[in-house]
Every structure is written in structure tokens, then in C-alpha cells.
Amino acid sequence: MMSDQFLMAACSLLGLMVLAMATLKGWQGWLALKERELDMRGGHAPEIEGGAREGAARIEIADLKERIRKLEAIASGVDL
């Protein structure tokens, strides 16, 4: 009776360890893949004024275009 419980606990622990090791190996592989992707891009993303990166750069460019449109409208006398 006691040996059955011990065997079940030992098998469960072993299965959990195998699962944890497989997950760790997958995580390390994913990190290595991302590191290679960064190396291929030159190690860093292009920066714009203020230290913003890709996504923020697109937002900032859209904001600048909107400001230019408003200034052009003011210059031409159109009321927004």
C-alpha cells in the first residue's frame, strides 16, 4: 500500500521534471531565435528624436503629418 503511493509520487515527480526540462529547452530555443533575429537587424532598432523606437516612431510621424496639415490649413486661411 505504502509502496504504491511512493511509486505514484515518484512517477509524478519524474514526469513533472521531464515536463519542466522540455519547457526550459523550448524557452532557451526561443530566446536563441530572438537573439539571432536581433543580430540580423544590426543589434538595435533605428531611433528617432527623443529615443523612440519603431512603433512610437510611426505614431510620432503620423502626429507630425497632422501638425503639418493643420499649419498648411492655417496658412491658407482655412478654419478647422
Side-chain angles (χ1 to χ4, degrees):
M1 187 71 143
M2 183 67 157
S3 64
D4 290 342
Q5 291 176 346
F6 179 73
L7 182 60
M8 183 66 91
C11 288
S12 296
L13 184 59
L14 181 62
L16 183 61
M17 287 174 48
V18 168
L19 183 63
M21 293 302 287
T23 303
L24 180 60
K25 184 70 174 169
W27 175 252
Q28 289 172 340
W30 184 82
L31 287 177
L33 172 68
K34 291 300 174 184
E35 187 175 359
R36 281 194 305 266
E37 287 178 359
L38 287 173
D39 288 343
M40 287 176 53
R41 289 194 329 183
H44 64 290
E47 288 189 13
I48 60 172
E49 186 178 335
R53 297 207 185 261
E54 296 169 9
R58 289 186 186 136
I59 293 170
E60 190 169 332
I61 289 171
D63 184 48
L64 290 173
K65 286 181 180 179
E66 179 66 20
R67 289 181 186 182
I68 290 170
R69 187 185 66 78
K70 287 180 181 179
L71 288 173
E72 288 173 344
I74 291 170
S76 66
V78 175
D79 192 21
L80 297 176

